[in-house]
Amino acid sequence: MLNPRQKDILSALSHQRISGQALARRARISVRTLLRDIDYINYRLGAAGKIISGAEGYQLLVEEGRDIERLLGNAEDALFLALIFNACLPLGALADKLRLSKSAVIDLISTVRKKSRTQPLIGSRPKHGHSLLLDDRQKVLLLANLIIRNPACCGEHCAHAFSVRIVSARSLLTTLDYPFGTPLFLAALGLAVEYLPATHLSVVKILQPLRHKLSGITPEAIRTVLTRVATPLPGLIDEELVGQLTAHIQRSVACPAILPVTALHDFRKIKTTYPQAFDLSLSFVRELNQSLAIDFNDDDWAGLYFACALERTQSAALNLVIYSEYLSMATLNKEIIEREISGVNVIIATHPEQLIASLLHQPVALVLNNHRQYPAMENATAVWSVSELVGQRELEQLRIRLAGLMLYQHSAVCFPESLSFTYANAPQDNWQTVISGICQHLVLCDALTVAEAELIVAREAQGENLIINHLAVPHCSGQRDQPFIGIFVHLENPLLIESQRVQNVLVVCVNARGRQELKMFSHLADALNGCESAQLLGLTTHASFMQCLNKPFSA
């Protein structure tokens, strides 16, 4: 089967032609890795189609649309449908129903099991076959999920009945006093009950326990859970965060999703750009499930809300100065930049005295010089010449430059060479043993406090480890004086973490009260993802790591 990245490549090409560079950027991989992915996709497509390259980029030629859809994920739906309507199916019978080989069915079941974050959905018994590990109520809910995703999954009559029921479901929500439900869910649930009469369940019986759980999901209850998990980040809990999480959890509980889903690509970027938000989401979901006893595992969405809250409460605006002899032009550029780039404050200076005063009175990240003569002065602030009116090209360059400015300007302090070392791990050591040994070494040389080391080791034991382009980034938030520190560690022997080969480690500690420092993870991700994987795996020294880190954003 295709992995999520390969499915995304195939899905993108099913709508348009895309250049190799653009496709690689979209998938956050190198062009070399993209070519390998395309070769594998073409192998899996067989006679169904082929990805070809031309002057305008790559395009997908399709011969049999159904097979393409199966590769994009419909085989999972077909698998669930077969097991919903059959108590147990041997491998051969299951392969015949899905029109797949036995090996492909085994791969498919393995993929579904990996996606199931909580309870396993499919069980296997030798000499018997495969079956769903769900009770009758869960089977009805699973079928309802499948109908919502594809109304024609049980035939065209199902799709027609679904569209008719949606109209009446709107008024039924009021009749049943079920305000957090949706017409789509109620219509699909009604059909699922009818298609599975052997369960002897009704819509009212299925909604009854859900309504009881909803009664305990209040803003006060969510605030209590947040208070337990969000203490490392002061000021994070505001009314907007409480309201957003409460509403989302109410919707999720009212319309439960049994189907396992692959984490959405855009949401998983939270893991690299806002690891604090991602870690908080894991703790929040775990505490929520324990304290309120609800089946909720949507940590992607929770992480997104936490990331937005961090933006609101932890981000300080970057000050930029436009130095121009034309006030009208500078004013236009100020409006353009502040509208197109969030989190910046643009100050205008039209003569040398104003420029010097602007640089003295507040921290300035960058001076945009639009003046014929720039005054000679002793100042460490970076200067970048811009055209008279800033256009889209300049805006994109400005975004990149601002993203890497902190890394580039403070890399020597944030990533001290004196603390870097090579860790002599044995080939058989696992990740938990390695990170424990690294942290013990850093405590002994006063690079980490005992509390920071314990936090890092405990965090890594939870799983969902942060790996950026084959570089492991164990991390923690604390109250240290230095806002951000990253310690480069080379491993004598590579090991697998989260199914990725890792040869180097960057141990990171940040001050939870930091503002721009919290964005360093985002800058790190941009810099590291801009490098070839082989280059990062081949790093052996601090100097080679710094060269790799600074290259994408060097002036």
Side-chain angles (χ1 to χ4, degrees):
M1 302 302 292
L2 302 182
N3 64 35
R5 184 184 69 228
Q6 292 160 348
K7 287 182 181 179
D8 185 59
I9 293 170
L10 187 58
S11 178
L13 291 173
S14 66
H15 299 101
Q16 58 188 326
R17 289 186 177 135
I18 307 177
S19 70
Q21 290 287 349
L23 202 53
R25 284 196 300 270
R26 172 192 175 102
R28 300 182 75 85
I29 55 176
S30 66
V31 174
R32 185 181 302 171
T33 302
L34 173 67
L35 293 175
R36 287 198 296 267
D37 278 352
I38 289 175
D39 285 342
Y40 181 75
I41 292 170
N42 281 336
Y43 164 72
R44 295 298 308 200
L45 286 175
K50 187 176 183 180
I51 296 174
I52 64 170
S53 62
E56 298 181 15
Y58 289 95
Q59 70 176 113
L60 174 65
L61 300 180
V62 180
E63 298 294 334
E64 299 177 34
R66 287 182 182 175
D67 289 338
I68 298 294
E69 291 176 3
R70 186 179 296 132
L71 281 165
L72 287 174
N74 283 358
E76 292 178 14
D77 292 6
L79 171 66
F80 283 123
L81 282 170
L83 295 177
I84 285 173
F85 291 106
N86 297 274
C88 188
L89 283 174
L91 181 60
L94 198 50
D96 290 341
K97 283 184 175 294
L98 300 180
R99 290 182 296 171
L100 293 171
S101 67
K102 290 182 180 179
S103 61
V105 173
I106 292 172
D107 289 345
L108 184 61
I109 292 173
S110 175
T111 300
V112 169
R113 284 173 174 161
K114 288 177 182 177
K115 287 184 182 180
S116 303
R117 302 189 196 178
T118 52
Q119 69 181 99
L121 298 182
I122 299 176
S124 303
R125 292 177 59 194
K127 298 182 180 179
H128 287 80
H130 303 277
S131 60
L132 289 175
L133 300 176
L134 301 175
D135 59 29
D136 287 346
R137 175 179 164 276
Q138 291 171 321
K139 286 181 180 178
V140 173
L141 289 170
L142 176 58
L143 182 55
N145 291 167
L146 291 169
I147 292 172
I148 290 173
R149 191 146 83 179
N150 177 16
C153 66
C154 294
E156 290 302 323
H157 60 284
C158 176
H160 175 72
F162 183 57
S163 61
V164 171
R165 282 175 178 266
I166 289 175
V167 178
S168 59
R170 291 185 175 90
S171 59
L172 190 58
L173 285 171
T174 305
T175 305
L176 293 174
D177 188 24
Y178 202 62
F180 300 112
T182 65
L184 287 176
F185 174 71
L186 207 59
L189 186 61
L191 276 176
V193 166
E194 290 185 10
Y195 281 125
L196 295 172
T199 62
H200 304 292
L201 290 169
S202 65
V203 171
V204 173
K205 282 184 179 180
I206 292 176
L207 295 184
Q208 193 171 14
L210 299 178
R211 187 182 285 108
H212 176 71
K213 287 184 179 180
L214 284 167
S215 65
I217 303 171
T218 63
E220 293 74 21
I222 300 305
R223 183 181 290 278
T224 300
V225 175
L226 282 169
T227 303
R228 292 175 189 162
V229 301
T231 49
L233 293 168
L236 180 71
I237 305 172
D238 56 16
E239 292 304 316
E240 187 172 352
L241 176 62
V242 173
Q244 288 173 335
L245 286 173
T246 302
H248 180 72
I249 294 164
Q250 287 170 336
R251 291 192 298 269
S252 298
V253 171
C255 308
I258 306 295
L259 276 174
V261 293
T262 302
L264 296 181
H265 178 70
D266 288 341
F267 288 174
R268 284 297 176 179
K269 287 174 66 178
I270 297 169
K271 188 174 178 180
T272 55
T273 56
Y274 279 102
Q276 294 95 340
F278 188 83
D279 291 350
L280 276 173
S281 70
L282 295 177
S283 300
F284 173 75
V285 169
R286 185 168 55 250
E287 181 67 28
L288 187 71
N289 293 341
Q290 291 174 355
S291 59
L292 297 183
I294 59 174
D295 300 324
F296 182 80
N297 58 10
D298 204 351
D299 49 52
D300 283 337
W301 275 100
L304 185 63
Y305 291 131
F306 280 119
C308 292
L310 282 169
E311 280 286 352
R312 290 194 302 271
T313 60
Q314 298 293 325
S315 295
L318 279 174
N319 291 318
L320 309 181
V321 172
I322 291 182
Y323 181 51
S324 174
E325 55 196 307
Y326 303 108
L327 180 60
S328 57
M329 186 66 67
T331 302
L332 279 173
N333 280 332
K334 170 183 168 71
E335 292 178 359
I336 292 170
I337 292 170
E338 289 183 342
R339 183 181 67 243
E340 297 295 330
I341 301 178
S342 61
V344 297
N345 175 47
V346 179
I347 303 161
I348 295 175
T350 57
H351 51 79
E353 291 78 12
Q354 276 187 328
L355 175 61
I356 294 169
S358 299
L359 296 175
L360 288 176
H361 292 158
Q362 64 268 307
V364 174
L366 185 67
V367 176
L368 305 177
N369 181 32
N370 189 216
H371 203 290
R372 283 177 295 179
Q373 292 184 335
Y374 192 82
M377 56 182 174
E378 293 183 3
N379 183 58
T381 304
V383 180
W384 184 41
S385 297
V386 295
S387 58
E388 291 186 353
L389 189 63
V390 173
Q392 286 301 318
R393 182 171 177 273
E394 288 85 0
L395 284 170
E396 186 58 33
Q397 290 177 338
L398 181 57
R399 287 191 188 96
I400 295 172
R401 190 169 290 266
L402 291 176
L405 204 56
M406 188 177 299
L407 276 180
Y408 187 66
Q409 291 182 340
H410 306 290
S411 57
V413 176
C414 292
F415 306 96
E417 183 178 6
S418 59
L419 297 178
S420 179
F421 68 101
T422 296
Y423 182 74
N425 62 308
Q428 69 272 16
D429 286 348
N430 61 28
W431 173 232
Q432 207 58 31
T433 301
V434 169
I435 189 58
S436 297
I438 289 173
C439 286
Q440 287 174 12
H441 173 89
L442 292 174
V443 168
L444 289 175
C445 63
D446 292 328
L448 294 182
T449 66
V450 173
E452 287 171 337
E454 290 176 348
L455 283 172
I456 290 173
V457 171
R459 167 64 189 85
E460 293 306 293
Q462 294 176 15
E464 291 286 359
N465 312 100
L466 177 56
I467 314 292
I468 305 177
N469 202 355
H470 298 283
L471 180 78
V473 189
H475 56 277
C476 75
S477 299
Q479 302 299 324
R480 61 169 41 237
D481 293 334
Q482 185 174 341
F484 183 101
I485 186 170
I487 302 167
F488 177 76
V489 181
H490 175 65
L491 302 178
E492 277 195 3
N493 291 288
L495 70 161
L496 287 178
I497 310 173
E498 295 281 324
S499 301
Q500 291 194 52
R501 188 170 184 266
V502 169
Q503 183 88 55
N504 297 290
V505 178
L506 186 69
V507 181
V508 173
C509 292
V510 297
N511 187 324
R513 295 181 180 273
R515 292 178 179 270
Q516 292 303 328
E517 288 75 20
L518 289 174
K519 292 189 174 182
M520 287 288 276
F521 283 102
S522 176
H523 307 333
L524 262 175
D526 287 338
L528 296 174
N529 283 321
C531 299
E532 290 284 345
S533 298
Q535 181 184 5
L536 286 173
L537 282 168
L539 298 178
T540 57
T541 65
H542 177 272
S544 60
F545 168 70
M546 294 305 296
Q547 183 181 11
C548 179
L549 197 64
N550 286 331
K551 184 178 179 181
F553 299 119
S554 56

